Amino acid sequence: MISFARTDTSIVGRWWWTVDRWTLLAVALLIAIGALLTLAASPAVAERLQLQSQHFVLRQAVFLPMAIAVIFVISLMSPRGVRRVSVVGFAISLLLVVATLFLGPEIKGATRWLQIASLSIQPSEFVKPCFAVVAAWMLAEQRRREGMTGGLICCALFALVVGLLIMQPDFGMTAVVAVVWFGQCFIAGLPMIWIAALAGLGLIGAILAYALIPHVASRIDRFLDPASGDSYQIDRAMDAFGQGGFLGRGPGEGMVKRVLPDAHTDFVFSVAGEEFGLIPCLIIIALFGFITLRGFARLLREEDFFVLLATAGLLTQFGLQAVINIGVNLNLLPTKGMTLPFISYGGSSMLALALAMGMVLSLTRRRPNLGGLP
Amino acid sequence: MIQTDLPVKARDIEAEIGSDSGILLVGSKAQAIRIGRIRLLTVALVFAISFVVLAGRLIELTVIREPSPSLAFMSASPTKYTAGRADIVDRNGILLATNLLTASLYADARVVPDAPEAARRLVTVLPELSPSAVQERLASGRSFVWLKRNLTPSQQAAVNGLGIPGLYFRDEQRRLYPQGALDSHVLGFTDVDGNGIAGVEKYFDQEMRDRGPQGRALQLSLDVRVQHALRDELMAAMVRFRAVGAAGVVLNADTGEVLALASLPDFDPNHPTAAPALARFNRATKGVYELGSVFKVLTVAMALDSGATKLRGGYNATEPIRVARFTIRDSHAKKRWLSVPEILIYSSNIGAAKMALDVGRDGQHKYLERFGLLSQASLELPEVGMPIVPARWGEISTMTVAYGHGLAVSPVQFATAFAATVNGGVLLPATLIKRKPGARALGVQVIRAQTSNQLRRLLRAVVEKGTGRKAEAPGYLVGGKTGTAEKAGVGGYLRNALISSFVAAFPMTAPKYVLYLLLDEPQGDEETHGYATAGWTAAPLTGRVVSRIAPILGVRPVDDGGALIQRAMALPLASMQGRGQDVAVN
């Protein structure tokens, strides 16, 4: 490992001594496991799609260094820098989301992507972390200054984001953004009566989605009663864990990756279960749990309200995505397209998560306590 | 929480002092942070529980729960394998053809990184492959090229050990014939893709696919024990008499079931292409031959049955018959009047020809048609020969056909017709499929039962007294007839290229089994005084086969000289002057 003297006062030197190195290590491990699983799962998918077998591997090989660079650069920033990046990023990505409604090609019934040169990006992925930070700022401002309308602005922005996501439509993303925002409001000290009201609103939203959107209803029905429809994907995923057992079938010996369309993205955890067995999967869960809970533990000592809310939002998003993805793989939740952070294949998702994790690392750096941001 | 409360407050106040914002916010900010921390803990707790639940569920799915069987279709379990062919067994259930699950090696040439290197290494473990051919295939850029079919497990392991990317295995069912060449002409064989291309494998191709490898086996009428004895003796005779080929059929006289059918040379159906193409020619069913004197049995049968002559009747065989440019003479010439039994016993061509003239051209044609000798036999094989019938069937043809020339039929076809002459006159189409008892009802009465009874005694006399003496198998009451025919060549018959055959049934008191054995171009030796005729070659062969198969088939030997037997086999053997006297033969 590179070592820096305690007295090293260069930017990198200070970064090294103030950043949470345990979280850094855990993220590095996740990225390494993700690279390994992309090698394992994606060639089979690529071959089925009549692509060159290393198609996804090569793309991921381009995104991975970019992601690592993003984590590093963002984590070098001060909380104020993070806030600025977020505000700018939020504005740009929101504009791009609007653009997808007009320019994006329709893929599987939704317009979520923008084609830029040979890369396709999903701007809504970047909205998630940026909005979490912006919302945290607004909520913190509300607390800080009497008469600030941060809360109101926060609610308006939330409505805007949710509205745009529903227009795409992308209900999974909507749900994540809503839960994260709700969590932030909760931590920000919203009175319990309001919490109850928001929860009720969320429930109504969910019921509306079930009642009005056929494919949402179908997925939930199939989860509650597998016999009611085709449960092919989830059955294969269940089989994969069963076949994997304690030790796994062995690297490259998996079958599920040959039959599941999303083996390299949403169902990569099943591939891991089949090929590598119980222990590596437990390690993956442990790494997600460690990053999330260690982040929360550090926040307990946090004095700055903005930092607390922003980090909590980012960690909630990170942890929630992991829980939902693994929960779907293990048939604990209805099928929902959700990437497993740093492990699933996917450029936009990877870069957006890198951005979020960079922010978390930056915000959780030890700072001389100067009473928060001005 | 309580522990951290105080220092936090202290620091908050410090911060407030350092900052120039209003003191009013101290309380509210500290409170907000405290509420925030409690709620933060709540969220963290929810996450902690979620991750623990996930881990628990993972352990349940991977280790605790039994793997569901629904993935079984993905593993190479032979019980789930549906494509393939049914087994073939003999009448006693002995396995004749089955399947072996093997791995076949193919390549996705697009994936193989270095074709010359891959080919070089592959040939080190599969030396039978040609390096240049393998390299060409690996460099073809095609997504699927076969490299080698049906590898042994150790070969498969060796190829896997090379670790060459782009090489894959496909499970295949290789057809396996555990009895080797024993039943090759009946079974036929399949190509490398499991398509039947000869024998019953071809005839029942669709049927066996439909049943599948786990389905009911195809049960043939063959008995491998009889088959083995037959093939063994045929082979010995073929070697001894330096014949170019040999064929033999054993039928159940009452059901038409083929118990054994051999044609030599034969081949190993596991490696059909290793043998010369000639070895795949089935002399017993596909080959049609002018069979010679064995036909006299049919001539006598139709003459007696139609009333053209009687057992006590006879014909003058003093002089050869001269018709047009042909001369019909006897090879065992007695140069005297011969009774009907004598005509058969001494195999008189002159007698048979005259007898056939009495039956008449139309009568002969009608009887031969009933015996099934003028049309293709209905055996369950693709390789069934078409008889060659005289183009103009006039008086000469009538006479020559009477002793088996001018009409070419397949051995199995002749054996089927012969069975009808001894089993009570019922023609049962020969079959390779095991029949249920009571199959006799399928047959057609072609001659009267009484005629058949007379023929039994006549045929027994041929073996006891006539040209077929060497066919005797003591105790089994063999009856039969020799047949020596010159093969037709360019410009006439070839004196030294004979078809020597013997048709027989046993036991003659109530024949249960019929056999017909044939040697293609046998050569005489010292022991036969240079003779290659049926009496010296096919007849002794028949005797040996009968004495081997009769015990297998459960035929009890009897005392040949016993009074009951003698009476049953009694025959009016007329004298030279036509003074009839009933004598027990011998």
Coordinates of all heavy atoms in Angstrom, one line a residue, chain A residues 143-144 186-187 189-190 192 236 238-239 241-243 245 255 259 278 281-282 285 288-289 293 296 299-303 305 312 316 319-320 326-327 330-332 371, chain B residues 1 8 11-12 15 25 28-29 32-33 35-37 39-44 47-48 50-51 53-55 57-59 61-63 65 67-68 70-71 73-74 168:
Chain A
R143 N -33.3 24.6 8.6 CA -33.0 24.5 10.0 C -32.1 25.7 10.4 O -32.2 26.3 11.5 CB -32.1 23.3 10.3 CG -32.9 22.1 10.6 CD -33.4 22.0 12.0 NE -34.6 21.1 12.1 CZ -35.7 21.3 12.8 NH1 -35.8 22.4 13.5 NH2 -36.6 20.5 12.8
R144 N -31.2 26.1 9.5 CA -30.1 27.0 9.9 C -30.7 28.5 10.0 O -30.3 29.2 10.9 CB -29.0 27.0 8.8 CG -27.6 26.8 9.4 CD -26.6 26.5 8.3 NE -26.4 27.7 7.5 CZ -25.5 28.6 7.9 NH1 -24.8 28.5 9.0 NH2 -25.3 29.7 7.1
F186 N -37.2 12.5 7.2 CA -37.4 11.8 8.5 C -36.2 12.2 9.5 O -36.4 12.7 10.6 CB -37.4 10.3 8.3 CG -37.5 9.5 9.5 CD1 -38.6 9.5 10.4 CD2 -36.4 8.6 9.9 CE1 -38.7 8.7 11.5 CE2 -36.5 7.9 11.0 CZ -37.6 7.9 11.8
I187 N -35.0 12.1 8.9 CA -33.8 12.4 9.8 C -33.8 13.9 10.1 O -33.3 14.3 11.1 CB -32.5 11.9 9.1 CG1 -32.6 10.4 9.0 CG2 -31.3 12.4 9.8 CD1 -31.6 9.8 8.0
G189 N -35.9 15.7 11.0 CA -36.7 16.0 12.1 C -38.1 16.5 11.8 O -38.7 17.2 12.5
L190 N -38.6 16.0 10.7 CA -40.0 16.3 10.3 C -40.9 15.8 11.4 O -40.7 14.7 11.9 CB -40.3 15.6 9.0 CG -41.4 16.2 8.2 CD1 -41.1 17.6 7.7 CD2 -41.7 15.3 7.0
M192 N -43.7 14.0 13.5 CA -44.3 12.6 13.2 C -45.5 12.7 12.4 O -45.8 11.8 11.6 CB -44.5 11.9 14.6 CG -43.2 11.4 15.2 SD -42.1 10.6 14.0 CE -42.6 8.9 14.1
R236 N -35.4 -19.4 -12.3 CA -34.1 -19.8 -12.7 C -33.1 -19.2 -11.6 O -32.1 -19.9 -11.3 CB -33.7 -19.2 -14.1 CG -34.5 -19.8 -15.2 CD -34.1 -21.2 -15.6 NE -34.7 -22.2 -14.7 CZ -35.9 -22.6 -14.8 NH1 -36.7 -22.1 -15.7 NH2 -36.4 -23.5 -14.0
M238 N -33.7 -18.8 -8.5 CA -33.8 -19.7 -7.3 C -33.0 -21.0 -7.5 O -32.2 -21.4 -6.7 CB -35.2 -20.1 -7.0 CG -36.2 -19.0 -6.6 SD -35.8 -18.3 -5.1 CE -34.7 -16.9 -5.6
D239 N -33.2 -21.5 -8.7 CA -32.4 -22.7 -9.0 C -30.9 -22.5 -8.9 O -30.2 -23.4 -8.5 CB -32.7 -23.2 -10.5 CG -34.1 -23.8 -10.6 OD1 -34.6 -24.2 -9.6 OD2 -34.6 -23.8 -11.7
F241 N -29.2 -20.5 -7.0 CA -28.7 -20.6 -5.7 C -28.7 -22.0 -5.2 O -27.7 -22.5 -4.5 CB -29.5 -19.7 -4.7 CG -29.3 -18.3 -4.9 CD1 -30.3 -17.5 -5.5 CD2 -28.1 -17.7 -4.6 CE1 -30.1 -16.1 -5.7 CE2 -27.9 -16.3 -4.8 CZ -28.9 -15.6 -5.4
G242 N -29.7 -22.8 -5.5 CA -29.8 -24.2 -5.1 C -28.7 -25.0 -5.7 O -28.0 -25.8 -5.0
Q243 N -28.4 -24.8 -7.0 CA -27.3 -25.5 -7.7 C -26.0 -25.1 -7.1 O -25.0 -25.9 -7.0 CB -27.3 -25.2 -9.2 CG -28.5 -25.8 -9.9 CD -28.5 -27.3 -10.0 OE1 -27.5 -27.8 -10.3 NE2 -29.6 -27.9 -9.7
G245 N -25.2 -24.0 -4.0 CA -25.0 -24.6 -2.7 C -23.9 -23.9 -1.9 O -23.7 -22.6 -2.1
M255 N -25.1 -22.1 -15.2 CA -26.0 -22.3 -16.2 C -27.0 -21.0 -16.3 O -27.5 -20.7 -17.4 CB -26.9 -23.5 -15.9 CG -26.1 -24.8 -15.9 SD -25.7 -25.2 -17.6 CE -24.9 -26.8 -17.3
V259 N -29.3 -18.4 -19.5 CA -30.8 -18.4 -19.8 C -31.4 -17.0 -19.3 O -32.4 -16.7 -19.9 CB -31.5 -19.5 -19.1 CG1 -31.1 -20.8 -19.8 CG2 -31.3 -19.6 -17.6
L278 N -22.1 -20.0 -1.4 CA -22.6 -19.2 -0.3 C -21.6 -18.2 0.2 O -22.0 -17.0 0.4 CB -23.0 -20.2 0.8 CG -23.4 -19.5 2.2 CD1 -24.7 -18.8 2.0 CD2 -23.6 -20.6 3.2
C281 N -21.1 -14.9 -1.6 CA -22.3 -14.1 -1.6 C -22.5 -13.4 -0.2 O -22.9 -12.3 -0.2 CB -23.5 -15.0 -1.9 SG -23.6 -15.4 -3.7
L282 N -22.2 -14.2 0.8 CA -22.3 -13.6 2.1 C -21.3 -12.5 2.2 O -21.6 -11.4 2.9 CB -22.0 -14.7 3.2 CG -23.1 -15.6 3.6 CD1 -22.6 -16.6 4.6 CD2 -24.3 -14.8 4.1
I285 N -22.8 -9.4 0.6 CA -23.8 -8.8 1.5 C -23.1 -8.1 2.7 O -23.5 -6.9 3.0 CB -24.8 -9.9 2.0 CG1 -25.7 -10.4 0.9 CG2 -25.7 -9.3 3.1 CD1 -26.6 -11.5 1.3
F288 N -21.7 -4.7 1.6 CA -22.8 -3.6 1.5 C -23.2 -3.2 2.9 O -23.4 -2.0 3.2 CB -24.0 -4.2 0.7 CG -23.7 -4.2 -0.8 CD1 -23.7 -5.3 -1.5 CD2 -23.5 -2.9 -1.5 CE1 -23.4 -5.3 -2.9 CE2 -23.3 -2.9 -2.8 CZ -23.2 -4.1 -3.5
G289 N -23.4 -4.2 3.7 CA -23.9 -3.9 5.1 C -22.8 -3.0 5.8 O -23.1 -2.0 6.5
L293 N -23.7 0.7 7.1 CA -23.8 0.8 8.6 C -22.6 1.6 9.1 O -22.7 2.4 10.1 CB -23.9 -0.5 9.2 CG -25.2 -1.3 8.8 CD1 -25.3 -2.6 9.5 CD2 -26.4 -0.4 9.2
F296 N -23.3 5.2 8.6 CA -24.3 5.7 9.5 C -23.6 5.9 10.9 O -23.9 6.9 11.6 CB -25.5 4.8 9.7 CG -26.5 4.9 8.6 CD1 -26.8 3.9 7.7 CD2 -27.2 6.1 8.4 CE1 -27.7 4.1 6.7 CE2 -28.1 6.3 7.4 CZ -28.4 5.3 6.6
L299 N -21.8 9.0 11.1 CA -22.7 10.2 11.1 C -23.1 10.5 12.5 O -23.5 11.6 12.8 CB -23.9 9.9 10.2 CG -23.6 10.0 8.7 CD1 -24.9 9.8 7.9 CD2 -22.9 11.3 8.3
L300 N -23.1 9.5 13.4 CA -23.6 9.7 14.7 C -22.7 10.8 15.4 O -23.1 11.4 16.4 CB -23.6 8.4 15.5 CG -24.7 7.4 15.1 CD1 -24.5 6.2 15.9 CD2 -26.0 8.0 15.3
R301 N -21.5 10.9 14.9 CA -20.6 11.9 15.5 C -20.6 13.2 14.7 O -19.9 14.1 15.0 CB -19.2 11.4 15.6 CG -19.0 10.2 16.6 CD -17.6 10.1 17.0 NE -16.8 9.8 15.8 CZ -16.6 8.5 15.3 NH1 -17.1 7.5 16.0 NH2 -15.8 8.3 14.3
E302 N -21.4 13.2 13.6 CA -21.4 14.4 12.7 C -22.1 15.6 13.4 O -23.2 15.5 13.9 CB -22.0 14.0 11.4 CG -21.9 15.1 10.3 CD -20.5 15.5 10.1 OE1 -19.7 14.7 9.7 OE2 -20.3 16.7 10.3
E303 N -21.5 16.7 13.2 CA -22.1 18.0 13.8 C -22.8 18.8 12.8 O -23.7 19.5 13.1 CB -20.9 18.8 14.3 CG -19.9 18.1 15.1 CD -20.2 18.1 16.6 OE1 -20.5 19.2 17.1 OE2 -20.2 17.0 17.2
F305 N -25.2 19.6 10.0 CA -26.5 19.1 9.7 C -26.6 18.8 8.2 O -27.2 17.7 7.8 CB -27.6 20.1 10.1 CG -28.9 19.5 10.3 CD1 -29.1 18.4 11.2 CD2 -30.1 19.9 9.7 CE1 -30.3 17.8 11.4 CE2 -31.3 19.3 9.9 CZ -31.4 18.3 10.8
A312 N -26.5 10.7 4.8 CA -27.5 9.7 5.1 C -28.3 9.4 3.9 O -28.6 8.3 3.6 CB -28.4 10.3 6.2
T316 N -28.4 5.9 2.2 CA -29.7 5.2 2.1 C -29.9 4.7 0.6 O -30.3 3.6 0.4 CB -30.8 6.2 2.4 OG1 -30.6 6.6 3.8 CG2 -32.2 5.5 2.4
G319 N -27.5 1.7 0.1 CA -27.9 0.5 0.8 C -29.3 0.0 0.2 O -29.5 -1.2 0.1
L320 N -30.2 0.9 -0.1 CA -31.5 0.5 -0.6 C -31.4 -0.2 -1.9 O -32.0 -1.3 -2.1 CB -32.3 1.8 -0.8 CG -33.8 1.6 -1.1 CD1 -34.5 0.9 0.1 CD2 -34.5 2.9 -1.4
I326 N -30.6 -7.5 -4.2 CA -30.4 -8.8 -3.6 C -31.7 -9.5 -3.2 O -31.9 -10.6 -3.4 CB -29.4 -8.7 -2.4 CG1 -28.0 -8.2 -2.9 CG2 -29.2 -10.1 -1.7 CD1 -27.0 -8.0 -1.8
G327 N -32.6 -8.6 -2.7 CA -33.9 -9.1 -2.3 C -34.7 -9.7 -3.5 O -35.3 -10.7 -3.4
L330 N -33.2 -13.0 -4.4 CA -33.5 -14.1 -3.4 C -35.0 -14.3 -3.3 O -35.5 -15.0 -2.4 CB -32.9 -13.7 -2.0 CG -31.4 -13.6 -2.0 CD1 -30.9 -13.1 -0.6 CD2 -30.8 -15.0 -2.2
N331 N -35.8 -13.6 -4.2 CA -37.2 -13.8 -4.2 C -37.9 -13.3 -2.9 O -38.8 -13.9 -2.5 CB -37.6 -15.2 -4.5 CG -39.0 -15.3 -5.0 OD1 -39.6 -14.4 -5.5 ND2 -39.6 -16.5 -4.9
L332 N -37.3 -12.3 -2.4 CA -37.9 -11.6 -1.2 C -38.7 -10.4 -1.6 O -39.5 -9.9 -0.8 CB -36.9 -11.2 -0.2 CG -36.2 -12.4 0.6 CD1 -35.0 -11.8 1.4 CD2 -37.2 -13.1 1.5
G371 N -17.7 24.2 13.1 CA -19.1 24.6 13.2 C -19.9 24.6 11.9 O -20.8 25.4 11.7
Chain B
M1 N -26.1 7.2 23.2 CA -26.6 8.6 23.0 C -26.3 9.5 24.2 O -25.7 10.6 24.0 CB -28.1 8.5 22.8 CG -28.5 8.1 21.4 SD -27.7 8.9 20.1 CE -28.3 10.6 20.3
V8 N -21.0 16.8 22.9 CA -21.6 17.4 21.7 C -22.1 18.8 22.0 O -21.8 19.8 21.3 CB -22.7 16.5 21.1 CG1 -23.6 17.3 20.1 CG2 -22.1 15.3 20.4
R11 N -19.3 21.1 22.4 CA -18.7 21.5 21.2 C -19.6 22.5 20.4 O -19.2 23.4 19.8 CB -18.4 20.3 20.3 CG -17.0 19.8 20.6 CD -16.6 18.8 19.5 NE -16.5 17.5 20.2 CZ -16.7 16.3 19.5 NH1 -16.9 16.3 18.2 NH2 -16.6 15.2 20.2
D12 N -20.9 22.2 20.5 CA -21.9 23.1 19.9 C -21.7 24.5 20.4 O -21.7 25.5 19.6 CB -23.3 22.6 20.1 CG -23.8 21.6 19.1 OD1 -23.0 21.5 18.1 OD2 -24.8 21.0 19.3
A15 N -18.7 26.0 19.1 CA -18.9 26.5 17.7 C -19.7 27.8 17.6 O -19.4 28.6 16.8 CB -19.7 25.4 16.9
L25 N -30.1 30.2 18.0 CA -30.2 28.9 17.3 C -29.6 27.8 18.1 O -29.8 26.6 17.7 CB -29.5 29.0 15.9 CG -30.4 29.8 14.9 CD1 -29.6 30.0 13.6 CD2 -31.7 29.1 14.6
S28 N -32.1 25.1 19.2 CA -32.8 24.5 18.1 C -31.9 23.6 17.3 O -32.2 22.5 16.9 CB -33.4 25.5 17.3 OG -33.1 25.4 15.9
K29 N -30.7 24.0 17.1 CA -29.7 23.2 16.3 C -29.3 22.0 17.1 O -29.3 20.9 16.5 CB -28.5 24.1 16.0 CG -27.5 23.3 15.1 CD -26.3 24.2 14.7 CE -25.4 23.4 13.9 NZ -24.1 24.2 13.7
A32 N -32.1 19.6 16.9 CA -32.2 19.0 15.6 C -31.2 17.9 15.4 O -31.5 16.8 14.9 CB -32.0 20.1 14.5
I33 N -30.0 18.2 15.8 CA -28.9 17.2 15.7 C -29.3 15.9 16.5 O -29.1 14.8 16.0 CB -27.6 17.7 16.1 CG1 -27.1 18.8 15.2 CG2 -26.5 16.6 16.3 CD1 -26.3 18.4 14.0
I35 N -32.3 14.8 17.5 CA -33.4 14.1 16.8 C -32.9 13.4 15.6 O -33.2 12.2 15.3 CB -34.6 15.1 16.4 CG1 -35.2 15.6 17.6 CG2 -35.6 14.4 15.5 CD1 -36.2 16.7 17.4
G36 N -32.0 14.1 14.8 CA -31.4 13.5 13.6 C -30.7 12.2 13.9 O -30.8 11.2 13.2
R37 N -30.0 12.3 15.1 CA -29.2 11.1 15.4 C -30.1 9.9 15.8 O -29.8 8.8 15.4 CB -28.2 11.4 16.6 CG -27.0 12.1 16.0 CD -26.1 12.5 17.1 NE -25.0 13.4 16.6 CZ -24.3 14.2 17.2 NH1 -24.6 14.4 18.5 NH2 -23.4 14.9 16.7
R39 N -33.1 9.4 14.8 CA -33.7 8.9 13.6 C -32.7 8.2 12.7 O -33.1 7.2 12.0 CB -34.4 10.0 12.9 CG -35.6 10.5 13.7 CD -36.5 11.4 12.9 NE -37.7 11.8 13.8 CZ -38.6 12.6 13.4 NH1 -38.6 13.1 12.1 NH2 -39.6 12.8 14.1
L40 N -31.5 8.7 12.6 CA -30.4 8.0 11.9 C -30.2 6.6 12.4 O -30.1 5.7 11.6 CB -29.2 8.8 12.1 CG -28.1 8.7 11.0 CD1 -28.5 9.2 9.7 CD2 -26.8 9.4 11.5
L41 N -30.3 6.5 13.7 CA -30.1 5.1 14.3 C -31.2 4.2 13.8 O -31.0 3.0 13.5 CB -30.1 5.2 15.8 CG -28.7 5.3 16.4 CD1 -28.9 5.3 18.0 CD2 -27.9 4.0 16.1
T42 N -32.4 4.8 13.8 CA -33.6 4.0 13.3 C -33.4 3.5 11.9 O -33.6 2.3 11.6 CB -34.9 4.9 13.4 OG1 -34.9 5.6 14.6 CG2 -36.1 4.0 13.3
V43 N -33.0 4.4 11.0 CA -32.7 4.0 9.6 C -31.7 2.9 9.6 O -31.8 1.9 8.9 CB -32.4 5.2 8.8 CG1 -32.0 4.8 7.4 CG2 -33.5 6.2 8.7
A44 N -30.6 3.1 10.3 CA -29.5 2.2 10.3 C -30.0 0.8 10.8 O -29.6 -0.2 10.3 CB -28.3 2.7 11.2
F47 N -31.7 -0.9 8.1 CA -30.8 -1.5 7.2 C -30.1 -2.8 7.8 O -30.0 -3.8 7.1 CB -29.7 -0.5 6.8 CG -30.1 0.3 5.6 CD1 -30.3 1.6 5.6 CD2 -30.1 -0.3 4.3 CE1 -30.7 2.4 4.5 CE2 -30.5 0.4 3.2 CZ -30.8 1.7 3.3
A48 N -29.7 -2.7 9.0 CA -29.0 -3.8 9.6 C -29.9 -5.1 9.6 O -29.5 -6.1 9.2 CB -28.7 -3.5 11.1
S50 N -32.4 -5.6 7.5 CA -32.5 -6.0 6.1 C -31.4 -6.9 5.7 O -31.5 -7.9 5.0 CB -32.6 -4.8 5.2 OG -33.6 -3.9 5.5
F51 N -30.1 -6.4 6.0 CA -29.0 -7.2 5.6 C -28.9 -8.6 6.2 O -28.6 -9.6 5.6 CB -27.7 -6.4 5.8 CG -27.4 -5.3 4.8 CD1 -27.5 -4.0 5.1 CD2 -27.2 -5.7 3.4 CE1 -27.2 -3.0 4.2 CE2 -27.0 -4.7 2.5 CZ -27.0 -3.3 2.9
V53 N -31.6 -10.2 7.2 CA -32.6 -11.1 6.5 C -32.1 -11.6 5.2 O -32.2 -12.8 4.9 CB -33.9 -10.2 6.3 CG1 -34.8 -10.9 5.4 CG2 -34.6 -10.0 7.7
L54 N -31.4 -10.7 4.5 CA -30.8 -11.2 3.2 C -29.9 -12.3 3.4 O -29.9 -13.3 2.6 CB -30.1 -10.0 2.5 CG -31.0 -8.9 1.9 CD1 -30.2 -7.8 1.2 CD2 -32.1 -9.4 0.9
A55 N -29.0 -12.2 4.3 CA -28.0 -13.2 4.6 C -28.7 -14.5 5.0 O -28.3 -15.6 4.5 CB -27.0 -12.8 5.7
R57 N -31.7 -15.5 4.2 CA -32.4 -16.0 3.1 C -31.4 -16.7 2.1 O -31.7 -17.8 1.5 CB -33.2 -14.9 2.3 CG -33.7 -15.3 1.0 CD -34.9 -16.2 1.1 NE -35.7 -16.3 -0.1 CZ -36.7 -17.1 -0.4 NH1 -37.1 -17.9 0.6 NH2 -37.2 -17.1 -1.6
L58 N -30.3 -16.1 2.0 CA -29.2 -16.7 1.1 C -28.8 -18.0 1.6 O -28.7 -19.0 0.9 CB -28.0 -15.7 1.1 CG -26.9 -16.2 0.2 CD1 -27.3 -16.1 -1.3 CD2 -25.6 -15.3 0.4
I59 N -28.6 -18.1 2.9 CA -28.2 -19.4 3.5 C -29.3 -20.4 3.3 O -29.0 -21.6 2.9 CB -27.9 -19.2 5.0 CG1 -26.6 -18.4 5.2 CG2 -27.7 -20.6 5.7 CD1 -26.4 -17.9 6.6
L61 N -31.5 -20.5 0.8 CA -31.6 -21.0 -0.6 C -30.4 -21.8 -1.0 O -30.6 -22.8 -1.8 CB -31.7 -19.7 -1.5 CG -33.0 -19.0 -1.5 CD1 -32.9 -17.9 -2.5 CD2 -34.1 -20.0 -1.9
T62 N -29.2 -21.5 -0.5 CA -28.1 -22.2 -1.0 C -27.8 -23.5 -0.3 O -27.4 -24.5 -0.9 CB -26.8 -21.4 -0.9 OG1 -26.7 -20.9 0.4 CG2 -26.8 -20.3 -1.9
V63 N -28.0 -23.5 1.0 CA -27.6 -24.7 1.8 C -28.8 -25.5 2.4 O -28.7 -26.7 2.3 CB -26.7 -24.3 2.9 CG1 -26.1 -25.5 3.7 CG2 -25.5 -23.4 2.4
R65 N -32.3 -25.4 1.7 CA -33.3 -25.9 0.8 C -32.8 -26.9 -0.2 O -31.7 -26.7 -0.7 CB -34.0 -24.7 0.0 CG -35.4 -25.0 -0.4 CD -36.1 -23.8 -0.8 NE -35.7 -23.4 -2.2 CZ -36.4 -22.7 -3.0 NH1 -37.6 -22.3 -2.6 NH2 -36.0 -22.3 -4.2
P67 N -32.3 -28.5 -3.7 CA -32.3 -27.9 -5.0 C -33.6 -28.4 -5.7 O -33.9 -29.6 -5.7 CB -31.1 -28.4 -5.7 CG -30.2 -29.0 -4.6 CD -31.1 -29.3 -3.5
S68 N -34.3 -27.5 -6.3 CA -35.5 -27.9 -7.0 C -35.1 -28.7 -8.3 O -34.1 -28.5 -8.8 CB -36.3 -26.7 -7.4 OG -35.7 -26.0 -8.5
S70 N -36.3 -28.5 -11.1 CA -36.6 -27.8 -12.4 C -35.3 -27.5 -13.2 O -35.4 -27.2 -14.4 CB -37.4 -26.6 -12.1 OG -36.7 -25.7 -11.4
L71 N -34.2 -27.5 -12.5 CA -33.0 -27.2 -13.3 C -32.4 -28.4 -13.9 O -31.4 -28.4 -14.6 CB -31.9 -26.5 -12.4 CG -30.9 -25.6 -13.2 CD1 -31.5 -24.4 -13.7 CD2 -29.7 -25.3 -12.3
F73 N -33.1 -30.2 -16.2 CA -33.1 -30.3 -17.7 C -31.7 -29.7 -18.2 O -31.3 -30.0 -19.3 CB -34.2 -29.5 -18.3 CG -34.1 -28.0 -18.3 CD1 -33.6 -27.3 -19.4 CD2 -34.4 -27.3 -17.1 CE1 -33.4 -26.0 -19.4 CE2 -34.2 -25.9 -17.1 CZ -33.7 -25.3 -18.2
M74 N -31.1 -28.9 -17.4 CA -29.8 -28.4 -17.8 C -28.7 -29.3 -17.7 O -27.7 -29.2 -18.3 CB -29.5 -27.1 -17.1 CG -30.5 -26.0 -17.4 SD -30.1 -24.6 -16.4 CE -31.2 -23.4 -17.0
Y168 N -15.9 -27.1 -27.5 CA -17.0 -27.5 -26.6 C -17.4 -28.9 -26.9 O -17.0 -29.5 -27.9 CB -18.3 -26.6 -26.9 CG -17.9 -25.1 -26.8 CD1 -17.8 -24.4 -28.0 CD2 -17.8 -24.5 -25.6 CE1 -17.5 -23.0 -27.9 CE2 -17.5 -23.2 -25.5 CZ -17.4 -22.4 -26.6 OH -17.1 -21.1 -26.5

